[in-house]
Amino acid sequence: MGKLSTHVLDTTAGKPGAGVKVALYEVLPTGRMLVKTDVTNADGRCNTPLLEGASMKTGKFELVFDAGDYFAAQGASVPEPRFIDQVTIAFGIADAAQNYHVPLVVSPWAYSTYRGS
């Protein structure tokens, strides 16, 4: 079986995003369902996979990162309301036997992602 993992990279400071709250939702026809919440460690990663084993399955998902709270805690000077606050990455898992790594590369003004392994 595969697994789902993530990490956060703070491009403003050039370091891992430690202490970022992350929520994983499964997107169902009836709405989205919270699957798991976590907080990134000193390396900007969650200590355990977000999905693995029997919980790893095909479907549509969303990762929601509390980036605005992270930058506020870092003392970043940002306007209110924040330009980047909660970052939502909507993605699909087509093959539960593969590893899916969905990182967030973020600053108070921009973000990007990609599918890693």
Side-chain angles (χ1 to χ4, degrees):
M1 289 298 281
K3 65 182 177 185
L4 171 66
S5 59
T6 189
H7 76 274
V8 178
L9 300 169
D10 175 348
T11 59
T12 303
K15 66 178 187 176
V20 178
K21 294 178 186 172
V22 180
L24 173 66
Y25 293 88
E26 183 177 6
V27 180
L28 304 166
T30 56
R32 64 184 197 169
M33 179 181 71
L34 180 64
V35 175
K36 184 175 183 177
T37 60
D38 208 338
V39 177
T40 58
N41 62 23
D43 194 34
R45 300 174 185 274
C46 297
N47 287 326
T48 60
L50 296 167
L51 296 174
E52 66 180 332
S55 69
M56 182 67 175
K57 60 184 177 179
T58 62
K60 294 181 180 181
F61 296 88
E62 291 179 356
L63 279 170
V64 180
F65 300 86
D66 285 347
D69 289 348
Y70 164 78
F71 285 111
Q74 299 301 305
S77 177
V78 295
E80 284 295 333
R82 299 166 181 158
F83 182 71
I84 299 292
D85 195 17
Q86 283 193 322
V87 175
T88 301
I89 300 173
F91 63 99
I93 294 176
D95 183 352
Q98 293 186 16
N99 290 334
Y100 285 75
H101 184 68
V102 184
L104 174 66
V105 181
V106 66
S107 80
W109 308 107
Y111 66 90
S112 66
T113 191
Y114 56 92
R115 179 176 172 199
S117 59

